[in-house]
Structure formats: structure tokens, C-alpha cells
Amino acid sequence: MIFNIILLFIGTIAAFWISAICGGGASLILIPILNLLIPTSVVPFSLTIGTFTSSASRIAVFKKHIRWKIFFWFVPFSIPAVLLGAWLIKYVNPNYLQLIVAFFLILNLPELFKSKNNETENQKLYPNFLLIIIGFCAGFVSGITGAIGLLFNRFYLKFGLKKEEIVATRAANEIFLHLIKLIIYISIGLYSQTALWLGLTIAVATIVSSYTVKYILPYLSEFLFKKIGYGAMVVSGIILLVGTSQKVIQQDKISFSATHENSESVSKISWRNTDLIIEFAFDDGFEVERKIHPNELPDHLKEKYETLKDQYDKIHLEKVFTINKKPIYEFYCYKNGVLTKFEI
């Protein structure tokens, strides 16, 4: 445990240096690391302890650069959203939201290849009313995952903020969200002693990072700052996508298999306790098959099932979907090891 804390401390300092240079993203970098150390449900608690401390220390260092106009548009609408997100964390698997966040981050890839002249020509500032939507979405995502970071960094860049202004304004916007989340996580029991120690480790590391990064920012141009920011979004998205995908596959027992027999190509996708079979034959085209329970049969087929049930040892049911055709039902009836198939 001590070794993990030391590694997390060093990694957090580096992550929040990168975060300040990129305008955000430390939380998204730390999520895959924390996923290895503690359960996913308490990862937001650890992250929020660290990000709250980071926001407070950055406000202290960069307070003169805060854009208060954006603050007053952003915060009032983010607070109810973070309450909703933190409440839903007990009912929603955060891994799936992390996957969505990963895809949004990767979508910033084209921004890396824009030239300086092209970026200046295409620069259009967003209207103020979009801050309402951005604030609400940021609060909601933050409430569930414990992080907002780079996901909304693009919007700060589009509002024309300079690098120090992005660091300061984001910290001011988010500190209230982090405080509210901490209160909610504790009240609904989404924390643990290990998560607390890891969170305090992150908190101390963020203070060290915030007070040393001010010596780095003056050496970066605005153009380089933006490119590093977009690059960090894409890299964080890829890391988050790979790490979270593996957890989803393990938790939900997702598997994929494919076979080829004669003129038919059959693919089988399993998710949790559900199998989805995709078949392609040159004469019949694409078919999608799903195993069903007898209760899912139409009323007139339930009677047939009851009749067949007395005649066979076991019956497996599948519903078959074909393009431009009505669904059909397949009865796989077994008796003494012999299969009899009915299509209705």
C-alpha cells in the first residue's frame, strides 16, 4: 500500500503539471490508475478530494486571471446537475459514462492537425448562453465520474481565454462542484478508508504541482498551449477507452466469436447473460437471432410451446430478425439427444 501511495504521489504531481499546461485532464489520467487500486464506485471520491485541493491551490496562485463573467454563467447551472449526477452514481454503471467521455475526447484528434493560420481564420467564439448548457453537462459528468477536466477544455478555448485564464477560471468554476460532490459521496456512503488515503495523497501532490507549475506556463506560447491541450485530450481518451473497455468486458462478460460454415457466416456476441447471434447467408441475407424466454412468445405461440414442452426433454427459443421481414421464432426441441427444429 505504501509503495502504491508513493507511486500515486509522484504520478499525480506529473499529471497535474500536464493538467495545468493542457488546461485540464489530470483526473482523466488518474482514473485508470485508481481503477487498479480501488473499486470503480469510490474512484470519484478519491478524485474529488484531490481535484478540490487542486482547484483551491490554483485559485490562490492564479486568482488575478479568473474570468468572473464565465464563472457567474457557469456555476449556477452546474450545481443542480452535479447533485443529479452524484445521486445517479448509485444506479448507473460509471464505466459506461467513462466510455462515452473517452469517445468525446478522441473526437478532438482533427484539432491537432490544424495550422496556426487555419486555426485563427476558423476561430469563432461561442455565445454566452452556451455556458448554461456547458455548466449543466460539466456538473452532471463530474457528479458521476468525479472528473470534468479535458472534456470541457475545448469550450474554454473557444471562449477566447488565455492559458492562465483557463487554469484560473476552471478552478473557480469547479471548486464548488467538488465540495458538493464530497458532501454527497460521504452522505450516500460512496467512500472507503483506502479511497480516503489515496485522495489525501492526490491532494498533497496537487498543492506541490500548483505552486511549481507557475514557473512553467510563461514559457509556453498560446498556440503550443492549445496543441498540447488537444493532444492530451486525445491521449487521455485512448487511455480511458482501453482501460474502461477491459473493465466492461470483464464485468459484463462480453465475448465475440465467429464461424464460417458452407455459405453461412455466423457471429455470436455475448453480453452478461444474453447471447446475440448474427448470421449471413448468400440466399437469406443478414439475420440477427436472440435467445428468449417462453414468456416473451406471442400468445398463440405460447400454446404451441406448452404442447411441445410435454413432448420433448428441453426446448430452446430464439427470435430471428431479418431486414424487411417480420420476426420469426425458432423452436429447438431436444429428445434423447436428437434435435428437431421448428420455424414459425
Side-chain angles (χ1 to χ4, degrees):
M1 182 64 184
I2 296 177
F3 180 71
N4 290 337
I5 289 177
I6 293 173
L7 286 180
L8 181 63
F9 181 79
I10 297 172
T12 300
I13 292 176
F16 276 88
W17 275 344
I18 296 172
S19 171
I21 294 171
C22 302
S27 296
L28 294 172
I29 295 172
L30 293 175
I31 283 176
I33 299 174
L34 289 171
N35 279 338
L36 298 175
L37 302 176
I38 51 178
T40 303
S41 61
V42 295
V43 165
F45 175 75
S46 288
L47 277 179
T48 304
I49 293 176
T51 49
F52 172 80
T53 308
S54 174
S55 294
S57 58
R58 287 182 182 180
I59 290 173
V61 176
F62 297 99
K63 58 187 175 187
K64 66 179 181 180
H65 297 286
I66 297 174
R67 288 278 293 271
W68 292 107
K69 180 180 178 181
I70 291 179
F71 172 84
F72 288 119
W73 277 87
F74 183 99
V75 172
F77 300 95
S78 62
I79 291 176
V82 77
L83 293 172
L84 176 62
W87 175 74
L88 282 176
I89 198 173
K90 294 194 74 172
Y91 308 98
V92 177
N93 186 343
N95 285 321
Y96 288 103
L97 185 59
Q98 288 181 15
L99 283 178
I100 296 172
V101 170
F103 282 115
F104 272 104
L105 289 172
I106 294 173
L107 287 177
N108 288 287
L109 183 61
E111 297 292 336
L112 287 174
F113 302 101
K114 288 185 178 180
S115 66
K116 188 173 184 179
N117 292 333
N118 187 39
E119 188 176 89
T120 303
E121 291 174 1
N122 295 331
Q123 185 74 24
K124 293 182 180 179
L125 300 182
Y126 289 155
N128 288 333
F129 75 85
L130 274 181
L131 281 169
I132 297 175
I133 300 173
I134 297 168
F136 185 89
C137 293
F140 181 74
V141 174
S142 181
I144 293 182
T145 66
I148 9 178
L150 288 174
L151 183 62
F152 296 94
N153 192 42
R154 179 173 184 157
F155 295 99
Y156 288 101
L157 292 170
K158 289 293 185 179
F159 276 99
L161 275 67
K162 304 300 181 184
K163 53 184 183 291
E164 290 87 359
E165 291 174 332
I166 290 177
V167 173
T169 306
R170 279 192 59 241
N173 285 347
E174 295 167 14
I175 192 168
F176 290 100
L177 301 185
H178 299 322
L179 179 60
I180 293 171
K181 286 187 297 179
L182 279 176
I183 296 172
I184 295 175
Y185 295 153
I186 293 172
S187 66
I188 61 179
L190 288 177
Y191 67 95
S192 68
Q193 185 175 358
T194 302
L196 174 62
W197 282 111
L198 294 179
L200 292 175
T201 301
I202 295 173
V204 175
T206 61
I207 296 174
V208 175
S209 176
S210 294
Y211 278 90
T212 53
V213 78
K214 65 179 180 180
Y215 300 106
I216 301 175
L217 283 181
Y219 294 98
L220 298 176
S221 67
E222 295 295 337
F223 179 74
L224 180 59
F225 177 82
K226 291 181 180 179
K227 289 302 178 185
I228 295 175
Y230 287 125
M233 292 184 213
V234 175
V235 172
S236 294
I238 294 172
I239 294 173
L240 191 61
L241 177 63
V242 173
T244 308
S245 296
Q246 292 176 344
K247 292 200 71 173
V248 170
I249 290 171
Q250 292 174 357
Q251 289 180 356
D252 292 340
K253 299 177 181 178
I254 298 174
S255 63
F256 177 84
S257 61
T259 58
H260 300 276
E261 298 179 2
N262 299 325
S263 62
E264 288 190 354
S265 176
V266 180
S267 299
K268 181 178 179 180
I269 302 171
S270 297
W271 181 73
R272 294 186 178 177
N273 295 320
T274 301
D275 291 335
L276 192 67
I277 300 173
I278 302 173
E279 291 186 357
F280 175 76
F282 289 104
D283 52 347
D284 296 327
F286 279 103
E287 291 184 351
V288 178
E289 301 178 357
R290 181 176 67 87
K291 290 183 179 180
I292 62 172
H293 190 271
N295 291 336
E296 298 179 63
L297 289 170
D299 291 338
H300 68 286
L301 292 183
K302 287 181 180 178
E303 296 177 3
K304 183 174 183 61
Y305 172 78
E306 293 297 329
T307 302
L308 293 173
K309 188 171 67 171
D310 297 332
Q311 302 175 23
Y312 293 91
D313 300 327
K314 61 180 178 180
I315 301 176
H316 292 165
L317 303 173
E318 289 184 357
K319 187 174 184 180
V320 182
F321 302 88
T322 309
I323 298 175
N324 295 327
K325 294 182 181 179
K326 291 183 178 181
I328 63 172
Y329 295 84
E330 294 180 346
F331 290 67
Y332 293 85
C333 306
Y334 295 86
K335 186 169 185 177
N336 299 324
V338 178
L339 169 64
T340 304
K341 179 181 177 182
F342 298 94
E343 290 187 0
I344 304 174

